[in-house]
């Protein structure tokens, strides 16, 4: 695998990641509500999901979802329900951020385990990810060479870019929250919640044939 191939992969991956999706919006939300430090735990969950998804694709799960309407629907509706739940919770939020306390004591102000698991679950229950990687990764893998090292390089590259993009969104959310009063924080939560619901709706209407 040449440096040129990895660079091409990184450019395409960055474009795909920077386009707002569930994990990016969740990073923005976590940054605005809990601060960048705590949001990093959510980013770690999303990065772990990157390795899980790419590993699953390497083992053939992406091809299974592309071929099986049943399993595709199972994963899709789990993702729809979870995104809807997160969206409704954000819309019903009171908009109280208390960032000063959260920045000083992130471990005690919110469960970092919960932040981690939410981000991991959002990514790993999105069938678009499996289908995207199934169509995307093979274009950068040389079938004549050992597969595992190539997938490891691509996974590490994608995860690094994903973390950097999410970190940028989390910092944006954190800085924006510092300038917002309670009413502004409330509307920020509602906007992010509405975005989650829109993503849930788009996933609900997503069809396997579109992959």
């Amino acid at each position: 695998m040449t440096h040129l191939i990895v660079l091409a992969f990184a450019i395409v991956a960055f474009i795909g990641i920077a386009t707002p999706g569930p994990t990016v919006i969740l990073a923005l939300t976590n940054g605005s509500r809990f601060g960048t430090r705590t949001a990093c735990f959510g980013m770690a969950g999303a990065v772990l999901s990157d390795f899980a998804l790419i590993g699953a694709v390497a083992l053939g799960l992406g091809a299974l979802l592309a071929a099986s309407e049943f399993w595709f629907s199972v994963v899709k509706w789990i993702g729809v329900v979870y995104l809807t739940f997160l969206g409704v919770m954000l819309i019903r939020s009171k908009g109280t951020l208390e960032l000063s306390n959260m920045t000083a004591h992130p471990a005690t102000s919110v469960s970092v385990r919960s932040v981690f698991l939410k981000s991991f679950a959002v990514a790993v229950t999105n069938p678009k990810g499996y289908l995207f990687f199934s169509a995307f990764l093979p274009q950068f893998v040389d079938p004549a060479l050992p597969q595992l090292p190539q997938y490891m390089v691509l996974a590490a590259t994608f995860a690094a870019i994903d973390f950097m993009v999410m970190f940028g969104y989390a910092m944006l959310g954190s800085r924006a929250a510092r300038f917002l009063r309670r009413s502004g924080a409330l509307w920020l939560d509602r906007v992010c919640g509405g975005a989650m619901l829109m993503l849930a709706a788009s996933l609900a209407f997503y069809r396997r044939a579109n992959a």
Side-chain angles (χ1 to χ4, degrees), residues 103-178:
T103 302
H105 306 286
T108 58
S109 39
V110 65
S111 169
V112 294
R113 180 182 179 184
S114 173
V115 172
F116 175 89
L117 291 176
K118 278 184 180 179
S119 295
F120 178 80
V122 163
V124 85
T125 57
N126 187 352
K128 288 184 180 181
Y130 297 97
L131 298 180
F132 170 76
F133 283 129
S134 293
F136 180 49
L137 293 180
Q139 301 180 44
F140 299 91
V141 174
D142 187 344
L145 298 176
Q147 303 286 295
L148 181 59
Q150 297 183 77
Y151 276 106
M152 290 178 64
V153 170
L154 295 179
T157 302
F158 189 92
I161 296 172
D162 197 15
F163 184 87
M164 289 188 292
V165 171
M166 287 187 294
F167 189 82
Y169 274 92
M171 285 190 64
L172 176 63
S174 178
R175 291 181 180 275
R178 293 176 189 276

Side-chain angles (χ1 to χ4, degrees), residues 49-107:
S49 76
D50 291 336
F51 286 102
L53 263 64
I54 292 176
V57 167
L59 294 174
L61 182 56
L64 172 64
L65 294 180
S68 171
E69 182 69 34
F70 173 76
W71 288 113
F72 175 84
S73 296
V74 169
V75 176
K76 182 182 81 169
W77 287 108
I78 291 174
V80 168
V81 171
Y82 194 60
L83 285 175
T84 302
F85 168 76
L86 292 179
V88 170
M89 292 298 291
L90 283 172
I91 289 175
R92 295 182 61 187
S93 166
K94 301 300 183 182
T96 52
L97 303 180
E98 298 179 349
L99 282 176
S100 59
N101 293 333
M102 291 180 178
T103 302
H105 306 286

